[in-house]
Coordinates of all heavy atoms in Angstrom, one line a residue:
L226 N -7.6 3.1 5.4 CA -9.0 3.4 5.4 C -9.6 4.1 4.3 O -10.8 4.0 4.2 CB -9.3 4.1 6.9 CG -9.1 3.3 8.1 CD1 -9.3 4.1 9.3 CD2 -10.0 2.0 8.0
S227 N -8.9 4.9 3.6 CA -9.4 5.6 2.4 C -9.8 4.7 1.3 O -9.2 3.6 1.1 CB -8.4 6.6 1.9 OG -8.2 7.6 2.9
I228 N -10.7 5.1 0.5 CA -11.3 4.2 -0.7 C -10.5 4.8 -2.0 O -10.4 5.9 -2.1 CB -12.7 4.5 -0.8 CG1 -13.5 4.2 0.4 CG2 -13.3 3.7 -2.0 CD1 -14.3 2.9 0.5
L229 N -9.9 3.8 -2.7 CA -9.1 4.2 -3.8 C -9.9 4.2 -5.1 O -10.9 3.3 -5.2 CB -7.9 3.2 -3.9 CG -7.0 3.3 -2.8 CD1 -5.9 2.2 -2.9 CD2 -6.3 4.8 -2.6
E230 N -9.6 4.9 -6.0 CA -10.3 4.8 -7.3 C -9.5 5.5 -8.4 O -8.4 6.1 -8.2 CB -11.7 5.4 -7.2 CG -11.7 6.9 -7.0 CD -13.1 7.5 -7.2 OE1 -14.1 6.9 -6.5 OE2 -13.2 8.5 -7.9
G231 N -10.2 5.4 -9.7 CA -9.4 6.1 -10.8 C -8.2 5.4 -11.4 O -8.1 4.1 -11.4
E232 N -7.4 6.1 -11.9 CA -6.2 5.6 -12.7 C -5.5 4.5 -12.0 O -4.9 3.5 -12.4 CB -5.3 6.7 -13.2 CG -4.6 6.3 -14.4 CD -3.5 7.3 -14.7 OE1 -3.6 8.4 -14.3 OE2 -2.3 7.0 -15.2
L233 N -5.2 4.8 -10.6 CA -4.4 3.8 -9.8 C -5.0 2.4 -9.9 O -4.3 1.5 -10.1 CB -4.5 4.2 -8.2 CG -4.0 3.4 -7.3 CD1 -2.3 3.1 -7.4 CD2 -4.2 3.9 -5.9
I234 N -6.3 2.3 -9.9 CA -6.9 1.0 -9.8 C -6.6 0.2 -11.2 O -6.4 -0.9 -11.2 CB -8.5 1.1 -9.6 CG1 -8.8 1.8 -8.3 CG2 -9.1 -0.4 -9.7 CD1 -8.5 0.9 -7.1
H235 N -6.7 1.0 -12.3 CA -6.3 0.5 -13.5 C -4.9 0.3 -13.8 O -4.6 -0.8 -14.3 CB -7.0 1.4 -14.6 CG -8.5 1.7 -14.6 ND1 -9.4 0.5 -14.7 CD2 -9.2 2.6 -14.0 CE1 -10.6 0.9 -14.5 NE2 -10.5 2.1 -14.1
A236 N -4.1 1.1 -13.4 CA -2.7 1.0 -13.7 C -2.2 -0.3 -12.9 O -1.2 -0.9 -13.3 CB -1.9 2.2 -13.2
Y237 N -2.7 -0.4 -11.7 CA -2.3 -1.5 -10.9 C -3.3 -2.7 -10.8 O -3.3 -3.5 -9.9 CB -1.9 -1.1 -9.6 CG -0.5 -0.5 -9.4 CD1 -0.3 0.9 -9.8 CD2 0.6 -1.2 -9.0 CE1 1.0 1.3 -9.9 CE2 1.9 -0.7 -9.0 CZ 2.0 0.6 -9.5 OH 3.4 1.1 -9.5
A238 N -4.1 -2.9 -11.9 CA -5.1 -3.9 -11.8 C -4.6 -5.3 -11.5 O -3.6 -5.5 -12.1 CB -5.9 -3.9 -13.2
G239 N -5.1 -6.0 -10.5 CA -4.7 -7.2 -10.2 C -3.4 -7.2 -9.3 O -2.9 -8.2 -8.8
R240 N -3.0 -6.1 -8.9 CA -1.7 -5.9 -8.2 C -1.9 -5.0 -7.0 O -0.9 -4.5 -6.5 CB -0.7 -5.3 -9.2 CG -0.3 -6.3 -10.2 CD 1.0 -5.8 -11.0 NE 0.6 -4.7 -11.8 CZ 1.4 -3.7 -12.0 NH1 2.4 -3.6 -11.2 NH2 1.0 -2.6 -12.7
I241 N -3.1 -4.9 -6.6 CA -3.3 -4.3 -5.3 C -4.2 -5.2 -4.4 O -5.2 -5.7 -4.8 CB -4.3 -2.9 -5.4 CG1 -3.6 -2.0 -6.6 CG2 -4.3 -2.2 -4.1 CD1 -4.4 -0.8 -6.8
I242 N -3.6 -5.3 -3.1 CA -4.4 -6.3 -2.2 C -4.8 -5.5 -1.0 O -4.0 -4.7 -0.6 CB -3.6 -7.6 -1.9 CG1 -2.2 -7.3 -1.2 CG2 -3.3 -8.4 -3.3 CD1 -1.6 -8.6 -0.8
N243 N -5.8 -6.0 -0.4 CA -6.2 -5.4 0.9 C -6.7 -6.4 1.8 O -7.1 -7.6 1.5 CB -7.6 -4.6 0.5 CG -8.2 -4.0 1.8 OD1 -7.5 -3.3 2.6 ND2 -9.5 -4.3 1.9
I244 N -6.5 -6.2 3.2 CA -6.8 -7.0 4.2 C -8.1 -6.6 4.9 O -8.2 -5.4 5.2 CB -5.7 -7.5 5.3 CG1 -6.2 -8.5 6.2 CG2 -5.3 -6.3 5.9 CD1 -5.1 -9.4 6.6
H245 N -9.1 -7.5 5.0 CA -10.4 -7.0 5.7 C -10.7 -8.0 6.8 O -10.7 -9.2 6.6 CB -11.5 -6.9 4.6 CG -12.8 -6.5 5.1 ND1 -13.1 -5.3 5.3 CD2 -13.9 -7.3 5.6 CE1 -14.3 -5.2 5.8 NE2 -14.7 -6.4 6.0
P246 N -11.1 -7.5 7.9 CA -11.3 -8.3 9.0 C -12.7 -9.1 9.1 O -13.4 -9.0 10.2 CB -11.2 -7.4 10.2 CG -11.6 -6.2 9.7 CD -11.3 -6.1 8.3
S247 N -13.1 -9.7 8.0 CA -14.3 -10.5 8.0 C -14.1 -11.5 6.9 O -13.2 -11.4 6.1 CB -15.6 -9.8 7.8 OG -15.7 -9.4 6.5
L248 N -15.0 -12.6 7.0 CA -15.0 -13.6 5.9 C -15.8 -13.0 4.7 O -16.9 -13.3 4.6 CB -15.5 -14.9 6.4 CG -14.8 -15.6 7.5 CD1 -15.5 -16.7 8.0 CD2 -13.3 -16.0 7.0
L249 N -15.1 -12.2 3.8 CA -15.8 -11.7 2.7 C -16.4 -12.7 1.8 O -15.7 -13.8 1.8 CB -14.8 -10.7 1.9 CG -14.5 -9.4 2.5 CD1 -13.4 -8.8 1.7 CD2 -15.7 -8.5 2.8
P250 N -17.5 -12.5 1.1 CA -18.2 -11.3 1.0 C -19.1 -10.9 2.1 O -19.7 -9.8 2.1 CB -19.1 -11.6 -0.2 CG -19.4 -13.0 -0.3 CD -18.1 -13.6 0.3
K251 N -19.0 -11.7 3.2 CA -19.9 -11.2 4.5 C -19.3 -10.1 5.1 O -17.9 -10.0 5.3 CB -20.0 -12.4 5.4 CG -20.8 -13.5 5.0 CD -21.0 -14.5 6.1 CE -22.0 -15.6 5.7 NZ -22.0 -16.6 6.8
F252 N -20.1 -9.1 5.6 CA -19.7 -8.0 6.4 C -18.4 -7.2 5.7 O -17.5 -6.8 6.4 CB -19.2 -8.5 7.8 CG -20.2 -9.5 8.5 CD1 -20.0 -10.8 8.5 CD2 -21.3 -8.9 8.9 CE1 -21.1 -11.6 9.0 CE2 -22.3 -9.6 9.5 CZ -22.2 -10.9 9.5
G253 N -18.7 -6.9 4.4 CA -17.8 -6.0 3.8 C -18.6 -4.9 3.2 O -19.8 -4.7 3.4
G254 N -18.0 -4.0 2.5 CA -18.7 -2.9 1.8 C -18.5 -1.6 2.5 O -17.9 -1.4 3.5
P255 N -19.1 -0.5 1.9 CA -19.0 0.9 2.5 C -19.4 0.9 3.9 O -20.4 0.3 4.3 CB -20.0 1.7 1.6 CG -20.1 0.9 0.3 CD -20.0 -0.5 0.7
G256 N -18.6 1.6 4.7 CA -18.9 1.7 6.1 C -18.6 0.5 6.8 O -18.7 0.6 8.2
M257 N -18.1 -0.6 6.3 CA -17.8 -1.8 7.2 C -16.3 -1.9 7.4 O -15.5 -2.2 6.7 CB -18.2 -2.9 6.4 CG -19.7 -3.3 6.6 SD -20.1 -3.5 8.4 CE -21.3 -4.8 8.3
Y258 N -15.9 -1.2 8.6 CA -14.5 -1.3 9.0 C -14.5 -1.2 10.5 O -15.5 -0.9 11.2 CB -13.7 0.0 8.5 CG -14.4 1.3 8.8 CD1 -13.9 1.9 10.0 CD2 -15.1 1.8 8.0 CE1 -14.4 3.1 10.4 CE2 -15.8 3.1 8.4 CZ -15.4 3.7 9.5 OH -15.9 4.9 10.0
G259 N -13.3 -1.7 11.1 CA -13.1 -1.7 12.4 C -14.2 -2.3 13.3 O -14.7 -3.4 12.8
D260 N -14.5 -1.7 14.4 CA -15.5 -2.3 15.3 C -16.8 -2.6 14.7 O -17.5 -3.5 15.2 CB -15.7 -1.3 16.4 CG -15.0 -1.6 17.6 OD1 -14.0 -2.4 17.4 OD2 -15.3 -1.1 18.7
R261 N -17.3 -1.8 13.7 CA -18.6 -2.0 13.0 C -18.6 -3.3 12.4 O -19.7 -4.1 12.4 CB -18.7 -1.0 11.8 CG -18.8 0.4 12.3 CD -19.0 1.3 11.1 NE -18.8 2.7 11.4 CZ -19.3 3.6 10.8 NH1 -19.9 3.3 9.5 NH2 -19.1 4.9 11.0
V262 N -17.6 -3.9 11.9 CA -17.6 -5.3 11.3 C -17.8 -6.3 12.4 O -18.7 -7.1 12.2 CB -16.2 -5.5 10.6 CG1 -16.2 -7.0 10.1 CG2 -15.9 -4.6 9.5
H263 N -17.1 -6.2 13.5 CA -17.1 -7.3 14.6 C -18.5 -7.2 15.3 O -19.1 -8.2 15.6 CB -15.9 -7.0 15.5 CG -14.7 -7.0 14.7 ND1 -14.3 -8.1 14.0 CD2 -13.7 -6.1 14.6 CE1 -13.2 -7.9 13.4 NE2 -12.8 -6.5 13.8
R264 N -19.1 -5.9 15.4 CA -20.4 -5.7 16.0 C -21.5 -6.4 15.1 O -22.3 -7.1 15.6 CB -20.7 -4.3 16.2 CG -21.3 -3.9 17.5 CD -21.3 -2.3 17.5 NE -20.1 -1.7 18.1 CZ -19.8 -1.7 19.3 NH1 -20.6 -2.3 20.2 NH2 -18.7 -1.3 19.7
A265 N -21.3 -6.3 13.9 CA -22.2 -6.8 13.0 C -22.2 -8.4 12.9 O -23.3 -9.0 12.8 CB -22.0 -6.2 11.6
V266 N -21.1 -8.9 13.0 CA -20.8 -10.3 13.1 C -21.5 -10.9 14.4 O -22.3 -11.8 14.4 CB -19.4 -10.7 13.1 CG1 -19.2 -12.2 13.4 CG2 -18.8 -10.3 11.7
L267 N -21.3 -10.2 15.5 CA -21.9 -10.7 16.8 C -23.5 -10.5 16.8 O -24.1 -11.5 17.2 CB -21.3 -9.9 18.0 CG -19.8 -10.1 18.2 CD1 -19.3 -9.3 19.4 CD2 -19.6 -11.6 18.6
D268 N -23.9 -9.4 16.3 CA -25.4 -9.2 16.2 C -26.0 -10.2 15.3 O -27.2 -10.6 15.5 CB -25.6 -7.8 15.6 CG -25.2 -6.7 16.6 OD1 -25.0 -7.0 17.8 OD2 -25.3 -5.5 16.2
S269 N -25.3 -10.7 14.3 CA -26.0 -11.6 13.4 C -25.9 -13.0 13.8 O -26.5 -13.9 13.2 CB -25.4 -11.6 12.0 OG -24.0 -12.0 12.0
G270 N -25.2 -13.3 14.9 CA -25.2 -14.6 15.6 C -24.4 -15.7 14.7 O -24.5 -16.9 14.9
E271 N -23.4 -15.1 14.0 CA -22.4 -16.0 13.3 C -21.6 -16.8 14.3 O -21.4 -16.3 15.4 CB -21.5 -15.2 12.5 CG -22.1 -14.3 11.4 CD -22.4 -15.1 10.0 OE1 -21.6 -16.0 9.8 OE2 -23.4 -14.9 9.5
T272 N -21.3 -18.0 13.9 CA -20.4 -18.8 14.8 C -18.9 -18.8 14.4 O -18.1 -19.3 15.2 CB -21.0 -20.3 14.7 OG1 -20.9 -20.7 13.4 CG2 -22.4 -20.5 15.4
E273 N -18.7 -18.2 13.2 CA -17.4 -18.0 12.8 C -17.1 -16.7 12.1 O -18.1 -16.1 11.4 CB -16.7 -19.1 12.1 CG -17.3 -19.3 10.8 CD -16.6 -20.3 9.8 OE1 -15.6 -21.1 10.2 OE2 -16.9 -20.3 8.6
S274 N -15.8 -16.2 12.2 CA -15.5 -15.0 11.4 C -14.1 -15.2 11.0 O -13.6 -16.3 11.0 CB -15.8 -13.7 12.3 OG -15.6 -12.5 11.4
G275 N -13.4 -14.1 10.7 CA -12.0 -14.3 10.3 C -11.6 -13.1 9.5 O -12.1 -12.0 9.7
C276 N -10.7 -13.4 8.5 CA -10.1 -12.2 7.7 C -9.9 -12.7 6.3 O -9.9 -13.9 6.0 CB -8.8 -11.7 8.3 SG -7.4 -12.9 8.3
T277 N -9.9 -11.8 5.4 CA -9.9 -12.0 3.9 C -8.7 -11.2 3.3 O -8.9 -9.9 3.6 CB -11.2 -11.8 3.2 OG1 -12.2 -12.6 3.9 CG2 -11.1 -12.2 1.8
V278 N -8.0 -11.8 2.6 CA -7.0 -10.9 1.7 C -7.7 -11.0 0.2 O -7.7 -12.1 -0.2 CB -5.6 -11.3 1.8 CG1 -4.8 -10.3 0.9 CG2 -5.1 -11.2 3.2

Side-chain angles (χ1 to χ4, degrees):
L226 292 176
S227 295
I228 309 249
L229 299 174
E230 63 167 50
E232 200 192 334
L233 172 65
I234 302 289
H235 298 291
Y237 278 84
R240 296 187 288 134
I241 309 177
I242 63 174
N243 176 48
I244 186 151
H245 182 81
S247 77
L248 296 174
L249 290 174
K251 288 183 172 178
F252 307 103
M257 278 301 216
Y258 58 87
D260 262 17
R261 295 182 190 198
V262 175
H263 308 299
R264 223 175 273 283
V266 169
L267 294 175
D268 288 349
S269 68
E271 296 280 325
T272 55
E273 66 169 9
S274 189
C276 59
T277 306
V278 183

